[in-house]
Amino acid sequence: MSDAAMKLVVVGAAGRMGQALIRMVHEIEGVVLHAAVGRPGSPFIGKDAGEIAGLGPNGVAITDDPLAAFLHADGVLDFTTPATTNEFAALAAQARIVHIIGTTGCSVEDEQKISAASR
């Protein structure tokens, strides 16, 4: 992995959108999958994210520790649920990384929380 590559975290990594994001990150030059996060208790925790996404092993195990996953990353790709996105917005702010949100169904209150975290 090049030090110049943008290091991204995919949250919701075992879901349909998470797997699609892992495949997209794999295809983009200058971008690497830094970490993959699944929900606590998921049977995919500890599994190789590349294998789950149909790419073959990539050496990135799915974790349920988002804060550790965000450490030393440049950004996080989030297509999860509104409640989870709120949690990740706060953690991304704490880690001082970009949080790209594709989550749908966020309420006005969710959007306010996300906006506050983005400051």
Side-chain angles (χ1 to χ4, degrees), residues 46-99:
K47 306 275 188 198
D48 188 282
E51 285 188 303
I52 298 302
L55 298 171
N58 66 3
V60 177
I62 298 176
T63 180
D64 61 0
D65 185 353
L67 191 53
F70 292 7
L71 190 62
H72 304 297
D74 297 309
V76 57
L77 303 175
D78 180 355
F79 282 70
T80 59
T81 65
T84 306
T85 293
N86 284 329
E87 176 188 342
F88 291 144
L91 293 175
Q94 184 178 345
R96 298 185 164 280
I97 62 174
V98 174
H99 183 202

Side-chain angles (χ1 to χ4, degrees), residues 3 6 9-10 16 22 26-27 29 31-33 52-53 56 63 69 75 81 92 111:
D3 287 338
M6 178 181 279
V9 177
V10 171
R16 188 181 78 246
I22 290 168
H26 178 75
E27 295 295 322
E29 188 172 332
V31 178
V32 296
L33 183 64
I52 298 302
T63 180
T81 65
E111 290 178 13

Side-chain angles (χ1 to χ4, degrees), residues 12-49:
R16 188 181 78 246
M17 286 303 298
Q19 290 176 42
L21 291 168
I22 290 168
R23 290 190 296 272
M24 289 179 68
V25 167
H26 178 75
E27 295 295 322
I28 300 171
E29 188 172 332
V31 178
V32 296
L33 183 64
H34 176 71
V37 178
R39 63 179 164 70
S42 167
F44 296 101
I45 301 303
K47 306 275 188 198
D48 188 282

